[in-house]
Amino acid sequence: MLLVQSNQSIEFLKKHNLGIELATNKEEGRIDLEAYAPFVKTVHLPFSDANGFLNLGAFDDAWRQESIDCIKKAIDMSVRYNVTKAILHPCCFLEKEHKNVGEYSRMIDALREIIDYAAKAKLVICLENQVLRHPDIRVIVGTSAAEWRQLPIDLGKSNVSLCLDTSHASSVAAMEETEEKRIQVLWDFFKEPDNICHFHWSDAKVLNGEAKYQDMHLVPGTGDIPLEFHKAIAKHPGTKLLEQKSTEEACSAGLAFIASLTN
């Protein structure tokens, strides 16, 4: 099923048979949210709150607990929409401005607690690969394909899967020096497709390197991600969010591009 963000009109959703992914910490309380509720098919759990980014691996116990509580609260909100998938960033800062602020094992313990909590709400947690930022800014868990794919293994829980964000993957692939290697890194994120249940589907300018350290989120068909990669996503049975705050005209063009992939 194809999803879009909730900036599109209800008429547009009906016309194209689209659902939406609701960002639980950003859109709750909207005046018109009740009208959009029937279209909510997945939820995106928070990666930040009023105090900044969450850190499930933080050495600071207060920061870590606040992060856990924020995500649990969002899970409670999700129940009303009768969804089965909740997308979550691993939310672990290892370094911030070259200072050690967290560790992997503390993140794993926190995620296990959250995943068990989600199981009570019959939710599968879909862990999203992360955008690669310059190390002078921050170092986070889940940017590389190998580290992202390892997360469900280390967690050892039945209600955990993966969400592939193509814009984030492009930020990693663009680090390579040649087009051939950039394509290879992109496909590394698709190495185990059966472990992926959801996509954040965007385009990016990865082959020319522009996506390096960038989260471009272009409408599918407007970047240079290889056509075969888009086709592989189109054929995958997982749910797919077109994760762009685009106009209806631009979104329509993206939908037309996606339709052309299976023709």
Side-chain angles (χ1 to χ4, degrees), residues 141-230:
V141 169
T143 57
S144 74
E147 188 173 55
W148 169 65
R149 292 198 311 267
Q150 185 65 30
L151 286 169
I153 298 170
D154 290 348
L155 288 164
K157 299 290 182 178
S158 60
N159 63 315
V160 63
S161 187
L162 294 173
C163 166
L164 173 54
D165 186 306
T166 55
S167 181
H168 294 174
S170 295
S171 73
V172 179
M175 294 292 295
E176 300 295 333
E177 293 187 0
T178 67
E179 182 176 305
E180 181 181 9
K181 288 183 178 180
R182 289 167 184 167
I183 294 173
Q184 182 180 341
V185 170
L186 272 181
W187 282 108
D188 197 24
F189 282 91
F190 221 114
K191 189 175 182 178
E192 299 172 354
D194 290 347
N195 294 333
I196 301 170
C197 74
H198 189 64
F199 294 84
H200 284 174
W201 194 356
S202 300
D203 219 324
K205 294 182 179 180
V206 59
L207 300 187
N208 69 3
E210 191 175 334
K212 180 178 178 180
Y213 297 135
Q214 301 297 320
D215 195 4
M216 302 191 80
H217 283 283
L218 303 179
V219 172
T222 62
D224 64 12
I225 287 178
L227 192 62
E228 291 304 314
F229 197 80
H230 285 298

Coordinates of all heavy atoms in Angstrom, one line a residue, residues 141-230:
V141 N 23.7 5.7 15.7 CA 23.6 4.2 15.4 C 22.6 4.0 14.2 O 21.5 4.7 14.2 CB 23.1 3.4 16.6 CG1 22.8 2.0 16.2 CG2 24.2 3.4 17.7
G142 N 23.0 3.1 13.3 CA 22.0 2.7 12.3 C 22.2 3.4 11.0 O 21.2 3.4 10.2
T143 N 23.3 4.0 10.7 CA 23.5 4.7 9.4 C 24.0 3.7 8.3 O 23.5 3.7 7.2 CB 24.5 5.8 9.5 OG1 25.7 5.3 10.0 CG2 24.0 6.9 10.4
S144 N 24.9 2.8 8.7 CA 25.4 1.8 7.7 C 24.4 0.7 7.5 O 23.6 0.3 8.5 CB 26.7 1.3 8.1 OG 26.6 0.3 9.2
A145 N 24.4 0.1 6.4 CA 23.5 -1.1 6.1 C 23.7 -2.2 7.1 O 22.8 -2.8 7.6 CB 23.6 -1.5 4.7
A146 N 25.0 -2.5 7.3 CA 25.3 -3.7 8.2 C 24.8 -3.4 9.6 O 24.3 -4.3 10.2 CB 26.8 -3.9 8.1
E147 N 25.1 -2.2 10.1 CA 24.7 -1.9 11.5 C 23.2 -2.0 11.6 O 22.6 -2.5 12.6 CB 25.2 -0.6 11.9 CG 25.0 -0.3 13.4 CD 25.8 1.0 13.8 OE1 25.5 2.0 13.2 OE2 26.6 0.9 14.8
W148 N 22.5 -1.4 10.6 CA 21.0 -1.3 10.6 C 20.4 -2.8 10.6 O 19.5 -3.1 11.3 CB 20.6 -0.5 9.5 CG 19.1 -0.5 9.1 CD1 18.1 -0.1 9.9 CD2 18.6 -1.0 7.9 NE1 16.9 -0.2 9.2 CE2 17.2 -0.8 7.9 CE3 19.1 -1.5 6.7 CZ2 16.3 -1.1 6.9 CZ3 18.3 -1.8 5.6 CH2 16.9 -1.6 5.7
R149 N 21.0 -3.6 9.7 CA 20.5 -5.0 9.6 C 20.7 -5.8 10.8 O 20.0 -6.8 11.1 CB 21.1 -5.7 8.4 CG 20.6 -5.1 7.0 CD 20.9 -6.1 5.9 NE 22.3 -6.6 6.0 CZ 23.3 -6.1 5.3 NH1 23.1 -5.1 4.5 NH2 24.5 -6.6 5.4
Q150 N 21.8 -5.4 11.6 CA 22.1 -6.2 12.8 C 21.2 -5.9 14.0 O 21.1 -6.7 14.9 CB 23.6 -5.8 13.2 CG 24.1 -6.6 14.4 CD 24.3 -8.1 14.1 OE1 24.6 -8.4 12.9 NE2 24.2 -8.9 15.1
L151 N 20.5 -4.8 13.9 CA 19.7 -4.4 15.1 C 18.6 -5.4 15.5 O 18.6 -5.8 16.6 CB 19.0 -3.0 14.8 CG 19.9 -1.8 14.8 CD1 19.1 -0.6 14.3 CD2 20.3 -1.5 16.3
P152 N 17.8 -6.0 14.5 CA 16.8 -7.0 15.0 C 17.5 -8.2 15.5 O 16.9 -8.9 16.4 CB 16.1 -7.3 13.7 CG 16.3 -6.1 12.8 CD 17.6 -5.6 13.1
I153 N 18.7 -8.6 15.0 CA 19.4 -9.7 15.5 C 19.8 -9.5 17.0 O 19.6 -10.4 17.8 CB 20.6 -10.0 14.6 CG1 20.2 -10.4 13.2 CG2 21.4 -11.2 15.2 CD1 21.3 -10.4 12.2
D154 N 20.4 -8.4 17.3 CA 20.8 -8.1 18.6 C 19.6 -7.9 19.6 O 19.8 -8.2 20.8 CB 21.7 -6.8 18.6 CG 23.0 -7.0 17.9 OD1 23.4 -8.2 17.7 OD2 23.7 -6.0 17.6
L155 N 18.5 -7.4 19.1 CA 17.3 -7.2 19.9 C 16.7 -8.6 20.3 O 16.2 -8.7 21.4 CB 16.4 -6.3 19.3 CG 16.8 -4.8 19.2 CD1 16.0 -4.0 18.2 CD2 16.7 -4.2 20.6
G156 N 16.6 -9.5 19.3 CA 16.1 -10.8 19.6 C 14.6 -10.8 20.0 O 14.1 -11.6 20.8
K157 N 13.8 -9.9 19.3 CA 12.4 -9.8 19.6 C 11.6 -10.2 18.3 O 12.0 -9.9 17.2 CB 12.0 -8.4 20.1 CG 12.7 -8.0 21.3 CD 12.1 -8.7 22.6 CE 12.8 -8.3 23.8 NZ 12.2 -9.0 25.0
S158 N 10.4 -10.8 18.5 CA 9.6 -11.2 17.4 C 8.9 -10.1 16.7 O 8.6 -10.1 15.5 CB 8.6 -12.3 17.8 OG 7.7 -11.8 18.8
N159 N 8.5 -9.0 17.4 CA 7.8 -7.9 16.9 C 8.7 -6.7 16.5 O 8.4 -5.5 16.8 CB 6.7 -7.4 17.8 CG 7.2 -6.9 19.2 OD1 8.1 -7.5 19.8 ND2 6.7 -5.8 19.6
V160 N 9.8 -7.0 15.8 CA 10.7 -6.0 15.3 C 11.0 -6.3 13.9 O 11.2 -7.5 13.5 CB 11.9 -5.8 16.2 CG1 12.8 -7.1 16.2 CG2 12.7 -4.6 15.8
S161 N 11.0 -5.3 13.0 CA 11.4 -5.4 11.6 C 12.2 -4.2 11.2 O 12.6 -3.4 12.1 CB 10.1 -5.6 10.8 OG 10.4 -5.9 9.5
L162 N 12.3 -3.9 9.9 CA 13.1 -2.8 9.4 C 12.3 -1.9 8.5 O 11.4 -2.4 7.7 CB 14.3 -3.4 8.7 CG 15.4 -4.1 9.5 CD1 16.4 -4.7 8.6 CD2 16.0 -3.2 10.6
C163 N 12.6 -0.7 8.5 CA 12.1 0.3 7.6 C 13.3 0.9 6.8 O 14.2 1.4 7.4 CB 11.4 1.4 8.4 SG 11.0 2.9 7.4
L164 N 13.2 0.8 5.5 CA 14.3 1.3 4.7 C 13.9 2.7 4.2 O 13.0 2.9 3.5 CB 14.5 0.4 3.5 CG 15.5 0.9 2.4 CD1 16.9 1.3 3.0 CD2 15.7 -0.1 1.3
D165 N 14.7 3.7 4.6 CA 14.6 5.1 4.1 C 15.6 5.3 3.0 O 16.8 5.3 3.3 CB 14.8 6.0 5.3 CG 14.5 7.5 4.9 OD1 15.1 8.0 3.9 OD2 13.7 8.2 5.6
T166 N 15.1 5.5 1.8 CA 16.0 5.6 0.7 C 16.8 6.9 0.7 O 18.0 6.9 0.2 CB 15.3 5.4 -0.7 OG1 14.2 6.4 -0.7 CG2 14.6 4.1 -0.8
S167 N 16.3 7.9 1.2 CA 17.0 9.2 1.3 C 18.2 9.0 2.3 O 19.3 9.5 2.0 CB 16.1 10.3 1.7 OG 16.8 11.5 1.8
H168 N 17.9 8.4 3.4 CA 19.0 8.2 4.4 C 20.1 7.2 3.8 O 21.3 7.5 4.0 CB 18.4 7.5 5.6 CG 17.5 8.4 6.4 ND1 16.7 8.0 7.5 CD2 17.1 9.7 6.2 CE1 16.0 9.0 7.9 NE2 16.2 10.1 7.1
A169 N 19.7 6.2 3.1 CA 20.6 5.3 2.5 C 21.5 6.0 1.5 O 22.7 5.8 1.4 CB 19.9 4.1 1.8
S170 N 20.9 7.0 0.8 CA 21.6 7.7 -0.2 C 22.7 8.6 0.4 O 23.8 8.8 -0.2 CB 20.7 8.6 -1.0 OG 19.8 7.8 -1.8
S171 N 22.5 9.1 1.6 CA 23.5 9.9 2.3 C 24.7 9.1 2.6 O 25.8 9.6 2.7 CB 22.9 10.5 3.6 OG 22.7 9.5 4.6
V172 N 24.5 7.8 2.8 CA 25.7 6.9 3.1 C 26.4 6.5 1.8 O 27.6 6.6 1.6 CB 25.2 5.6 3.8 CG1 26.3 4.7 4.1 CG2 24.5 6.0 5.1
A173 N 25.5 6.1 0.8 CA 26.1 5.7 -0.5 C 26.9 6.8 -1.2 O 27.9 6.6 -1.8 CB 25.0 5.3 -1.4
A174 N 26.5 8.1 -1.0 CA 27.2 9.2 -1.7 C 28.6 9.4 -1.1 O 29.3 10.2 -1.7 CB 26.3 10.5 -1.5
M175 N 28.9 8.8 0.0 CA 30.2 8.9 0.5 C 31.3 8.2 -0.4 O 32.5 8.6 -0.3 CB 30.3 8.3 1.9 CG 29.4 9.1 2.9 SD 30.1 10.7 3.3 CE 31.7 10.3 4.1
E176 N 30.9 7.3 -1.1 CA 31.8 6.5 -2.0 C 32.3 7.4 -3.1 O 31.6 8.3 -3.6 CB 31.1 5.2 -2.5 CG 30.7 4.3 -1.4 CD 31.8 3.7 -0.6 OE1 32.9 3.6 -1.2 OE2 31.6 3.4 0.6
E177 N 33.5 7.0 -3.7 CA 34.1 7.9 -4.6 C 33.6 7.7 -6.1 O 33.8 8.5 -6.9 CB 35.6 7.7 -4.6 CG 36.2 8.3 -3.2 CD 37.7 8.3 -3.2 OE1 38.3 7.8 -4.3 OE2 38.3 8.7 -2.2
T178 N 33.1 6.5 -6.3 CA 32.7 6.2 -7.7 C 31.2 5.9 -7.8 O 30.6 5.4 -6.8 CB 33.5 5.0 -8.3 OG1 33.1 3.8 -7.6 CG2 35.0 5.2 -8.2
E179 N 30.6 6.1 -9.0 CA 29.2 5.8 -9.2 C 29.0 4.3 -8.9 O 27.9 3.9 -8.3 CB 28.8 6.2 -10.6 CG 27.3 5.9 -10.9 CD 27.0 6.4 -12.2 OE1 27.2 7.6 -12.5 OE2 26.4 5.6 -13.0
E180 N 29.9 3.4 -9.4 CA 29.7 2.0 -9.2 C 29.6 1.6 -7.7 O 28.7 0.8 -7.3 CB 30.9 1.3 -9.9 CG 30.8 -0.3 -9.8 CD 31.9 -1.0 -10.4 OE1 32.9 -0.3 -10.8 OE2 31.9 -2.2 -10.5
K181 N 30.5 2.2 -6.9 CA 30.5 1.9 -5.5 C 29.2 2.5 -4.8 O 28.7 1.9 -3.8 CB 31.7 2.4 -4.8 CG 33.0 1.6 -5.2 CD 34.2 2.1 -4.5 CE 35.4 1.3 -4.8 NZ 36.7 1.8 -4.1
R182 N 28.8 3.6 -5.2 CA 27.6 4.2 -4.7 C 26.4 3.3 -4.9 O 25.5 3.1 -4.0 CB 27.4 5.6 -5.2 CG 28.4 6.6 -4.7 CD 28.4 7.9 -5.5 NE 29.5 8.8 -5.0 CZ 29.9 9.9 -5.6 NH1 29.4 10.3 -6.8 NH2 30.9 10.6 -5.1
I183 N 26.3 2.8 -6.1 CA 25.2 1.9 -6.4 C 25.3 0.6 -5.6 O 24.3 0.1 -5.1 CB 25.2 1.5 -7.9 CG1 24.8 2.8 -8.7 CG2 24.2 0.4 -8.2 CD1 25.0 2.6 -10.2
Q184 N 26.5 0.1 -5.4 CA 26.7 -1.1 -4.6 C 26.2 -0.9 -3.2 O 25.6 -1.8 -2.6 CB 28.2 -1.4 -4.6 CG 28.5 -2.7 -3.8 CD 30.0 -3.0 -3.9 OE1 30.7 -2.5 -4.8 NE2 30.5 -3.8 -3.0
V185 N 26.5 0.3 -2.6 CA 26.1 0.6 -1.2 C 24.6 0.7 -1.1 O 24.0 0.2 -0.1 CB 26.8 1.9 -0.7 CG1 26.2 2.3 0.7 CG2 28.3 1.7 -0.5
L186 N 24.0 1.3 -2.1 CA 22.5 1.3 -2.1 C 21.9 -0.1 -2.0 O 21.0 -0.4 -1.2 CB 22.0 2.0 -3.3 CG 21.8 3.6 -3.3 CD1 21.3 4.0 -4.7 CD2 20.9 4.0 -2.2
W187 N 22.4 -1.0 -2.9 CA 21.9 -2.3 -2.9 C 22.2 -3.1 -1.6 O 21.5 -4.0 -1.3 CB 22.4 -3.1 -4.1 CG 21.7 -2.7 -5.4 CD1 22.1 -2.0 -6.4 CD2 20.3 -3.0 -5.7 NE1 21.1 -1.8 -7.4 CE2 20.0 -2.5 -7.0 CE3 19.3 -3.8 -5.1 CZ2 18.8 -2.6 -7.6 CZ3 18.1 -3.9 -5.7 CH2 17.8 -3.4 -6.9
D188 N 23.2 -2.7 -0.9 CA 23.6 -3.3 0.3 C 22.4 -3.2 1.3 O 22.2 -4.0 2.2 CB 24.9 -2.8 0.9 CG 25.5 -3.7 2.0 OD1 25.2 -4.9 2.0 OD2 26.2 -3.2 2.8
F189 N 21.7 -2.0 1.2 CA 20.6 -1.8 2.1 C 19.4 -2.7 1.8 O 18.5 -2.9 2.6 CB 20.1 -0.4 2.0 CG 21.0 0.6 2.9 CD1 22.1 1.2 2.3 CD2 20.7 0.8 4.2 CE1 22.9 2.1 3.0 CE2 21.5 1.7 4.9 CZ 22.6 2.3 4.4
F190 N 19.4 -3.3 0.5 CA 18.4 -4.2 0.1 C 18.8 -5.6 0.1 O 18.2 -6.5 -0.6 CB 17.9 -3.8 -1.4 CG 16.4 -3.8 -1.6 CD1 15.7 -2.7 -1.8 CD2 15.8 -5.0 -1.6 CE1 14.4 -2.7 -2.0 CE2 14.4 -5.1 -1.8 CZ 13.7 -3.9 -2.0
K191 N 19.9 -5.9 0.8 CA 20.5 -7.2 0.8 C 19.6 -8.3 1.4 O 19.6 -9.5 0.9 CB 21.8 -7.2 1.5 CG 22.7 -8.5 1.4 CD 24.0 -8.2 2.1 CE 24.9 -9.5 2.0 NZ 26.2 -9.2 2.6
E192 N 18.8 -7.9 2.3 CA 17.9 -8.9 3.0 C 16.4 -8.3 3.0 O 15.9 -7.9 4.0 CB 18.3 -9.1 4.4 CG 19.7 -9.7 4.5 CD 20.3 -9.8 5.9 OE1 19.6 -9.3 6.9 OE2 21.4 -10.4 6.1
P193 N 15.8 -8.3 1.8 CA 14.5 -7.7 1.6 C 13.4 -8.3 2.5 O 12.4 -7.6 2.8 CB 14.2 -7.9 0.1 CG 15.1 -9.0 -0.3 CD 16.3 -8.9 0.5
D194 N 13.5 -9.6 2.8 CA 12.5 -10.2 3.6 C 12.4 -9.7 5.0 O 11.4 -9.9 5.8 CB 12.7 -11.8 3.7 CG 12.5 -12.4 2.4 OD1 11.9 -11.8 1.5 OD2 12.9 -13.6 2.2
N195 N 13.5 -9.0 5.5 CA 13.5 -8.4 6.8 C 13.0 -7.0 6.8 O 13.0 -6.3 7.9 CB 14.9 -8.5 7.4 CG 15.4 -9.9 7.6 OD1 14.6 -10.8 7.9 ND2 16.7 -10.1 7.6
I196 N 12.6 -6.5 5.7 CA 12.1 -5.1 5.6 C 10.5 -5.2 5.4 O 10.0 -6.0 4.6 CB 12.6 -4.4 4.3 CG1 14.2 -4.3 4.4 CG2 12.0 -3.0 4.2 CD1 14.8 -3.8 3.1
C197 N 9.8 -4.4 6.2 CA 8.4 -4.5 6.1 C 7.8 -3.1 5.7 O 6.6 -3.0 5.5 CB 7.7 -4.9 7.4 SG 7.8 -3.7 8.8
H198 N 8.6 -2.1 5.7 CA 8.1 -0.7 5.4 C 9.2 0.1 4.7 O 10.4 -0.2 4.9 CB 7.7 -0.1 6.7 CG 7.0 1.2 6.6 ND1 5.7 1.3 6.0 CD2 7.3 2.5 7.0 CE1 5.3 2.6 6.0 NE2 6.2 3.3 6.6
F199 N 8.8 1.1 3.9 CA 9.8 2.0 3.2 C 9.4 3.4 3.4 O 8.2 3.8 3.4 CB 9.8 1.7 1.7 CG 10.3 0.3 1.4 CD1 9.4 -0.8 1.4 CD2 11.6 0.1 1.0 CE1 9.9 -2.1 1.0 CE2 12.1 -1.1 0.6 CZ 11.2 -2.2 0.7
H200 N 10.4 4.2 3.6 CA 10.3 5.7 3.4 C 10.9 5.9 2.1 O 12.1 5.9 1.9 CB 10.9 6.5 4.5 CG 10.1 6.4 5.8 ND1 10.6 7.0 7.0 CD2 8.9 6.0 6.1 CE1 9.7 6.9 7.9 NE2 8.6 6.3 7.4
W201 N 10.0 6.1 1.1 CA 10.5 6.1 -0.3 C 10.6 7.6 -0.9 O 9.7 8.3 -1.0 CB 9.4 5.4 -1.2 CG 9.8 5.0 -2.6 CD1 11.0 5.3 -3.2 CD2 9.1 4.2 -3.5 NE1 11.0 4.7 -4.5 CE2 9.8 4.1 -4.6 CE3 7.8 3.6 -3.4 CZ2 9.3 3.4 -5.8 CZ3 7.3 2.9 -4.5 CH2 8.1 2.8 -5.7
S202 N 11.9 7.9 -1.1 CA 12.2 9.2 -1.7 C 13.3 9.0 -2.7 O 13.9 7.9 -2.8 CB 12.8 10.2 -0.6 OG 11.8 10.4 0.4
D203 N 13.5 10.0 -3.5 CA 14.6 10.0 -4.4 C 15.7 10.9 -3.8 O 15.5 11.6 -2.8 CB 14.2 10.5 -5.8 CG 14.9 9.8 -7.0 OD1 16.0 9.4 -6.8 OD2 14.2 9.6 -8.0
A204 N 16.9 10.9 -4.5 CA 18.0 11.7 -4.0 C 19.0 11.8 -5.2 O 18.9 11.0 -6.2 CB 18.7 11.0 -2.8
K205 N 19.9 12.7 -5.1 CA 21.0 12.8 -6.0 C 22.3 12.1 -5.4 O 23.1 12.8 -4.9 CB 21.2 14.2 -6.4 CG 20.0 14.8 -7.1 CD 20.3 16.3 -7.5 CE 19.0 16.8 -8.3 NZ 19.2 18.2 -8.7
V206 N 22.3 10.8 -5.6 CA 23.3 10.0 -5.0 C 24.4 9.7 -5.9 O 25.6 9.7 -5.5 CB 22.7 8.7 -4.4 CG1 22.0 7.9 -5.5 CG2 23.8 7.9 -3.7
L207 N 24.1 9.5 -7.2 CA 25.2 9.1 -8.1 C 26.2 10.2 -8.4 O 27.3 9.9 -8.7 CB 24.5 8.6 -9.5 CG 23.6 7.4 -9.4 CD1 23.2 7.0 -10.7 CD2 24.2 6.3 -8.6
N208 N 25.7 11.5 -8.3 CA 26.7 12.6 -8.5 C 27.3 13.0 -7.1 O 28.0 14.0 -7.1 CB 26.0 13.7 -9.2 CG 24.9 14.4 -8.4 OD1 24.7 14.1 -7.2 ND2 24.2 15.4 -8.9
G209 N 26.9 12.4 -6.0 CA 27.5 12.7 -4.7 C 26.8 13.8 -4.0 O 27.2 14.0 -2.8
E210 N 25.8 14.4 -4.5 CA 25.2 15.5 -3.9 C 24.5 15.2 -2.5 O 24.4 16.0 -1.6 CB 24.2 16.2 -4.8 CG 23.7 17.5 -4.3 CD 22.7 18.2 -5.3 OE1 22.9 17.9 -6.5 OE2 21.9 19.0 -4.9
A211 N 24.1 13.9 -2.4 CA 23.4 13.4 -1.2 C 24.3 13.2 0.0 O 23.9 12.9 1.1 CB 22.7 12.1 -1.5
K212 N 25.6 13.4 -0.2 CA 26.6 13.2 0.9 C 26.2 14.1 2.1 O 26.1 15.3 1.9 CB 28.0 13.6 0.4 CG 29.1 13.4 1.5 CD 30.4 13.7 0.9 CE 31.5 13.6 1.9 NZ 32.9 13.9 1.3
Y213 N 26.0 13.5 3.2 CA 25.6 14.2 4.5 C 24.2 14.9 4.3 O 23.9 15.7 5.2 CB 26.6 15.2 4.9 CG 28.0 14.6 5.3 CD1 29.1 15.2 4.9 CD2 28.1 13.4 6.1 CE1 30.4 14.6 5.2 CE2 29.3 12.9 6.4 CZ 30.5 13.5 5.9 OH 31.7 13.0 6.3
Q214 N 23.5 14.6 3.3 CA 22.2 15.3 3.0 C 21.0 14.4 3.1 O 21.1 13.2 2.7 CB 22.2 16.0 1.7 CG 23.3 17.0 1.4 CD 23.2 18.2 2.4 OE1 22.2 18.7 2.6 NE2 24.4 18.6 2.8
D215 N 19.9 14.9 3.6 CA 18.7 14.1 3.7 C 17.7 14.8 2.7 O 16.9 15.6 3.0 CB 18.1 14.2 5.1 CG 17.0 13.1 5.3 OD1 16.7 12.3 4.4 OD2 16.4 13.1 6.4
M216 N 17.8 14.4 1.4 CA 17.2 15.2 0.3 C 15.7 15.0 0.2 O 15.0 15.9 -0.1 CB 17.9 14.8 -1.0 CG 19.4 15.1 -0.9 SD 20.2 15.0 -2.6 CE 19.8 16.6 -3.2
H217 N 15.2 13.8 0.4 CA 13.7 13.5 0.3 C 13.1 14.1 -0.9 O 12.1 14.8 -0.8 CB 13.0 14.0 1.6 CG 13.3 13.1 2.8 ND1 12.6 11.9 2.9 CD2 14.1 13.2 3.8 CE1 13.0 11.3 4.1 NE2 13.9 12.1 4.6
L218 N 13.6 13.8 -2.1 CA 13.0 14.2 -3.3 C 11.9 13.3 -3.7 O 11.8 12.1 -3.3 CB 14.1 14.2 -4.4 CG 15.3 15.1 -4.2 CD1 16.3 15.0 -5.4 CD2 15.0 16.5 -3.9
V219 N 10.9 13.8 -4.5 CA 9.8 13.0 -5.0 C 10.4 11.9 -5.9 O 11.3 12.2 -6.7 CB 8.9 13.9 -5.8 CG1 7.8 13.0 -6.5 CG2 8.2 14.9 -4.9
P220 N 10.0 10.6 -5.7 CA 10.5 9.6 -6.6 C 10.4 9.9 -8.1 O 9.4 10.4 -8.6 CB 9.6 8.4 -6.3 CG 9.2 8.6 -4.8 CD 9.0 10.1 -4.7
G221 N 11.5 9.7 -8.8 CA 11.6 10.1 -10.2 C 12.2 11.4 -10.5 O 12.5 11.7 -11.7
T222 N 12.6 12.1 -9.4 CA 13.2 13.4 -9.7 C 14.7 13.5 -9.3 O 15.3 14.5 -9.3 CB 12.5 14.5 -8.9 OG1 12.5 14.3 -7.5 CG2 11.0 14.6 -9.3
G223 N 15.2 12.4 -8.8 CA 16.6 12.3 -8.5 C 17.4 11.3 -9.4 O 16.9 11.1 -10.5
D224 N 18.4 10.7 -8.9 CA 19.2 9.8 -9.8 C 19.4 8.4 -9.2 O 20.3 7.7 -9.6 CB 20.5 10.4 -10.2 CG 21.5 10.7 -9.0 OD1 21.2 10.2 -7.9 OD2 22.5 11.3 -9.2
I225 N 18.6 8.1 -8.2 CA 18.6 6.7 -7.7 C 18.3 5.8 -8.9 O 17.3 6.1 -9.6 CB 17.6 6.5 -6.5 CG1 18.1 7.2 -5.3 CG2 17.4 5.0 -6.3 CD1 17.2 7.1 -4.1
P226 N 19.0 4.7 -9.1 CA 18.8 3.9 -10.3 C 17.4 3.4 -10.4 O 16.8 3.0 -9.4 CB 19.8 2.8 -10.1 CG 20.9 3.4 -9.2 CD 20.2 4.3 -8.3
L227 N 16.9 3.3 -11.6 CA 15.6 2.8 -11.9 C 15.3 1.4 -11.3 O 14.3 1.2 -10.8 CB 15.3 2.9 -13.4 CG 13.9 2.7 -13.9 CD1 13.0 3.8 -13.3 CD2 13.8 2.6 -15.4
E228 N 16.3 0.6 -11.4 CA 16.2 -0.8 -11.0 C 15.9 -0.9 -9.5 O 15.3 -1.8 -8.9 CB 17.4 -1.7 -11.4 CG 17.5 -2.0 -12.8 CD 16.2 -2.6 -13.4 OE1 15.7 -3.6 -12.7 OE2 15.7 -2.2 -14.4
F229 N 16.5 0.1 -8.7 CA 16.3 0.1 -7.3 C 14.9 0.6 -7.0 O 14.2 0.0 -6.1 CB 17.3 1.1 -6.7 CG 17.5 1.0 -5.2 CD1 18.3 0.0 -4.7 CD2 16.9 1.9 -4.3 CE1 18.5 -0.1 -3.3 CE2 17.0 1.8 -3.0 CZ 17.8 0.8 -2.4
H230 N 14.4 1.6 -7.7 CA 13.0 1.9 -7.5 C 12.1 0.8 -7.9 O 11.1 0.6 -7.2 CB 12.7 3.1 -8.5 CG 13.2 4.4 -8.0 ND1 12.8 5.0 -6.8 CD2 14.1 5.3 -8.6 CE1 13.5 6.2 -6.7 NE2 14.2 6.4 -7.7

